[in-house]
Amino acid sequence: MPASEFDIIQRYFGEGAGKIIGASTDAVRCGIGDDCAVLSLPVGHELLLSVDTLVESVHFPVNYSSALLARRALAVCASDLAASGASPLAFTLALTLPAVDEDWLGAFSVSLADAAAEFGMVLVGGDTTRGPLCLSLQVMGSAPAGQALLRNGAQVGDVIFVSGSLGDASAALAFLNTEPAELQADQADLLARYHAPVPRLVLGQNLRNLATAAIDISDGLAADLGHILKASGVAGVVRMQDLPLSAALLNHGSALDAALSGGDDYELCFTVPASRCADVALLSVSLGLALSEIGYIEAGHGLRCIDAQNKIYTPATGYQHF
């Protein structure tokens, strides 16, 4: 007899199966099994919500590993919480499947449980249905009232920073179908950045009351920084020579275009008053995470990318959702 929706939920996502809802948390008063989940916010905090949809052949390859998909999907969504300075609380999952595949679901649920534990989140509900493979995840977090990071606070004179390195995940797309045994070491490094992005949750929380604006880099630095500039009503300048590029990326083609327009980095781009750059340097040391100064905010509109000779560099178009 085919598994019902409730069988799937209980077996792979219920208590004792993936152990996703078994984690101890004061935030969840009622999770899976009721019509609504019930969350308790910390006193003096606001609720932050974000939702992402990932579609097979659009956001991930056909026949992509279900274990890799689970980890990547939750990380991508949790990155929005990081960009807002949120402390993670919980998430929901709407999963559309072409068929019930026990092996696929087993690997998916175990990997999802591991990722949830890594990011400090609990699965509190969702839905399953039949159709082309698609995942929609809604993530929930909290931040002290009035301290959530937004896109609209950048000011003229602010300095632009990014975390980590840029462009690796985009470059990895060329090797997605390469057999593991045939990969060179630097190609494997690039693929790791695609398969397992790291949401910068701790960084985001530490940027409260430090950054004036922030965003996670999903569609490419140029496109996502452009959202900050538009929301803040300012212009920006990026110095190409200051972009943080990995050694692996430099071995593979158009590193600058990958860094500016490739997307899928899930690093944070944020702006800070020039007077507080020393605080960013201290934060970089304390977190053991590179935080690179790449440009500045000026009056006007739009983004200028300049090379070491102050010549304008025109980036490729970032990822387009339609």
Side-chain angles (χ1 to χ4, degrees), residues 95-173:
L95 180 60
T96 302
L97 296 167
V100 175
D101 183 323
E102 301 277 348
D103 292 337
W104 193 98
L105 280 165
F108 180 89
S109 62
V110 169
S111 179
L112 189 64
D114 289 343
E118 179 184 346
F119 306 147
M121 308 176 75
V122 180
L123 179 66
V124 294
D127 191 24
T128 59
T129 190
R130 184 182 295 274
L133 183 58
C134 176
L135 301 81
S136 288
L137 295 94
Q138 182 180 60
V139 292
M140 291 155 269
S142 69
Q147 292 187 28
L149 299 172
L150 303 175
R151 300 177 181 180
N152 64 358
Q155 301 291 319
V156 173
D158 282 356
V159 176
I160 303 169
F161 285 87
V162 293
S163 64
S165 61
L166 305 179
D168 290 352
S170 172
L173 296 177

Side-chain angles (χ1 to χ4, degrees), residues 23-84:
S24 175
T25 175
D26 295 332
V28 181
R29 188 162 74 81
C30 179
I32 292 175
D34 236 293
D35 289 310
C36 288
V38 182
L39 303 184
S40 299
L41 287 181
V43 175
H45 280 58
E46 295 175 321
L47 180 65
L48 283 70
L49 300 172
S50 180
V51 63
D52 273 303
T53 296
L54 289 83
V55 179
E56 185 179 51
S57 80
V58 176
H59 300 100
F60 58 91
V62 175
N63 297 321
Y64 192 52
S65 158
S66 65
L68 293 176
L69 176 60
R71 178 20 173 107
R72 177 174 165 76
L74 189 56
V76 165
C77 296
S79 184
D80 286 334
L81 295 179
S84 299

Side-chain angles (χ1 to χ4, degrees), residues 244-258:
L245 309 176
S246 71
L249 178 63
L250 290 170
N251 285 336
H252 291 280
S254 302
L256 290 179
D257 281 339

Side-chain angles (χ1 to χ4, degrees), residues 20 72 184 234 260 279 296 320:
I20 297 172
R72 177 174 165 76
Q184 300 172 11
V234 294
L260 279 173
D279 294 324
Y296 55 91
Q320 301 293 314

Side-chain angles (χ1 to χ4, degrees), residues 163-187:
S163 64
S165 61
L166 305 179
D168 290 352
S170 172
L173 296 177
F175 316 117
L176 278 180
N177 296 320
T178 303
E179 292 296 326
E182 298 175 2
L183 289 171
Q184 300 172 11
D186 55 354
Q187 293 173 343

